[in-house]
Amino acid sequence: MAEGTAAHGWAARDASGHLSPFNFSRRVPRDGDVTIKVLFCGLCHTDLHIIKNEWGNAMYPVVPGHEIVGVATGVGPGVTKFKSGDTVGVGYFVDSCRSCESCGKGFESYCPQLVPTSGGVDLIDGAATQGGFSDVLVVSEHYAVRVPESLPPDAAAPLLCAGVTVFSPMVRFGLNAPGKHLGVVGLGGLGHLGVKFGKAFGMTVTVISTSPAKREEALDRLGADAFLVSRDPEQMKAAASTMDGIIDTVSAEHPVAPLLELLKPMGQMVVVGLPVKPLEVPPFSLVAGGKRLAGSAGGGMEDCQAMLDFAGEHGITADIEVVGMDYVNTAIQRLERNDVRYRFVVDVAGSKLGVAA
Ligand code: NAP
Ligand code: ZN
Ligand code: ZN
């Protein structure tokens, strides 16, 4: 059997979530595959859920990272979308069944056979998938996107997950209408991009946060119109029934009833954050105002490309702190403490990777 490409990355070996150097191999490229040299990879809160086995389905060792920007270094037969040298992005998933209703409609992220970029199982050879905290990636061109040349590759990386995760439901649920009032709950990696997309869509955007210290930068730097401290009942009460839509990006347990109160009648809240504990939703909070509560996972490949093209046109990138892989465990701890403005991005190509021979 042909040998795959040697890959060098950093992996978690157990639920401590501690990452350390790891050598493995990428699959032999199949027809339609692109080989990518990883340049930068963002650290998403989902990586923390995965490496610490908070969702109970981790397979160790696991190389995290699914906000990947790299350069195509090889294209196999059948590849039409990319050529060597192109800047390529890969997000939360690297394959799906390609034949179910969701795949057919461009909603690949809802495919029952979705293969996450990291911690998934390859549909053909059954191997565990490993993420972007590694030097090389092999992926079908269908699950890669073009990154506009106008975007810097490091600050564009978080768009591949955080960006599309907020952009897709905004477009799909009509929360992109100029003049409408959008609430963004949780000013982290996802949330700060929600603010930027909301403003680019011409919306009025209010940040709803547990961190009063983020007020000034939310208003001055990110361009939000208003800032509410969710733990201040007076502020929340004053803003009741003012919002057309809300995106909830919170990663931890939190009360949602006070958020639903912020919606106008017939308003809708889209949950994208994935805390482990169930949300408590008093039926009255929904029923009384005819409100809707929905969820959304990432975005399909079409949405992802549309999001990147929109970001390219409007100059939207993430606010990032670029770090070397040798800092990644500290970055993980800081992300857990809500101590980053607003996304860590690992300089993968500039880091020492893998176990020395
Ligand atoms: P993040 O950068 O850590 O941001 C989460 C934000 O939530 C924090 O910045 C904080 O904002 C707020 N928060 C944290 N703890 C809180 C608490 N106890 N109560 C209330 N608010 C709290 O995380 P992220 O990378 O944006 O990801 C957010 C969540 O979305 C994670 O659960 C992640 O797994 C999930 N996710 C889902 C998808 C999807 O497809 N649906 C995709 C990517 C990520 P403030 O300081 O402003 O309160
Ligand atoms: Zn993510
Ligand atoms: Zn499918």
Side-chain angles (χ1 to χ4, degrees):
M1 211 171 88
E3 290 274 309
T5 310
H8 309 89
W10 281 48
R13 322 287 174 139
D14 55 46
S16 71
H18 184 84
L19 302 190
S20 54
F22 176 60
N23 296 350
F24 59 109
S25 115
R26 292 292 183 188
R27 72 184 184 219
V28 175
R30 303 166 186 155
D31 282 4
D33 273 357
V34 187
T35 301
I36 299 166
K37 173 187 159 72
V38 178
L39 297 178
F40 295 99
C41 185
L43 176 65
C44 174
H45 208 112
T46 292
D47 291 315
L48 268 60
H49 295 309
I50 292 173
I51 59 180
K52 291 171 183 279
N53 198 21
E54 288 172 1
W55 294 339
N57 57 358
M59 293 180 295
Y60 297 106
V62 60
V63 177
H66 56 263
E67 292 184 334
I68 302 160
V69 171
V71 178
T73 53
V75 295
V79 171
T80 57
K81 223 159 91 179
F82 303 104
K83 56 181 185 337
S84 280
D86 284 354
T87 308
V88 177
V90 177
Y92 182 67
F93 56 94
V94 286
D95 208 353
S96 66
C97 83
R98 309 177 193 205
S99 59
C100 71
E101 189 172 339
S102 296
C103 285
K105 288 183 169 163
F107 299 136
E108 292 92 341
S109 57
Y110 302 128
C111 174
Q113 295 190 58
L114 189 77
V115 182
T117 302
S118 125
V121 176
D122 187 282
L123 293 175
I124 293 172
D125 63 19
T129 58
Q130 303 292 4
F133 288 181
S134 63
D135 51 3
V136 59
L137 202 70
V138 177
V139 62
S140 158
E141 67 165 346
H142 183 67
Y143 298 88
V145 282
R146 289 179 302 276
V147 178
E149 292 298 329
S150 61
L151 297 177
D154 50 359
L159 296 173
L160 274 303
C161 175
V164 71
T165 299
V166 292
F167 179 93
S168 177
M170 287 169 84
V171 172
R172 299 281 168 196
F173 291 94
L175 301 181
N176 59 347
K180 291 226 168 162
H181 186 184
L182 175 75
V184 175
V185 192
L187 196 60
L190 270 57
H192 91 292
L193 286 170
V195 174
K196 292 189 185 193
F197 281 118
K199 289 314 296 174
F201 287 135
M203 304 182 79
T204 300
V205 179
T206 295
V207 171
I208 304 140
S209 170
T210 58
S211 308
K214 292 180 182 173
R215 175 186 295 272
E216 275 189 10
E217 43 195 79
L219 300 175
D220 300 344
R221 211 172 72 214
L222 301 174
D225 300 283
F227 186 93
L228 295 176
V229 176
S230 53
R231 290 175 178 154
D232 180 335
E234 289 305 310
Q235 283 187 29
M236 294 292 279
K237 210 168 138 200
S241 305
T242 60
M243 298 180 190
D244 297 286
I246 291 178
I247 294 209
D248 183 346
T249 75
V250 174
S251 54
E253 189 184 7
H254 63 292
V256 294
L259 301 173
L260 293 166
E261 294 303 316
L262 298 173
L263 289 172
K264 293 177 185 171
M266 313 284 281
Q268 55 188 332
M269 179 158 109
V270 184
V271 175
V272 294
L274 286 165
V276 182
K277 286 222 176 130
L279 303 174
E280 246 183 59
V281 184
F284 262 100
S285 308
L286 290 175
V287 174
K291 296 170 185 176
R292 278 182 286 174
L293 182 61
S296 187
M301 296 313 303
E302 227 172 82
D303 280 4
C304 194
Q305 188 63 61
M307 176 276 305
L308 279 174
D309 294 344
F310 183 89
E313 279 162 34
H314 291 83
I316 296 176
T317 53
D319 289 14
I320 55 169
E321 182 173 337
V322 179
V323 299
M325 194 69 86
D326 56 358
Y327 188 80
V328 74
N329 289 304
T330 308
I332 287 167
Q333 287 167 8
R334 284 184 49 199
L335 175 59
E336 204 153 41
R337 293 200 300 269
N338 198 359
D339 175 22
V340 54
R341 302 288 191 275
Y342 285 91
R343 200 52 135 196
F344 285 111
V345 170
V346 176
D347 177 2
V348 177
S351 294
K352 204 171 162 299
L353 302 166
V355 184

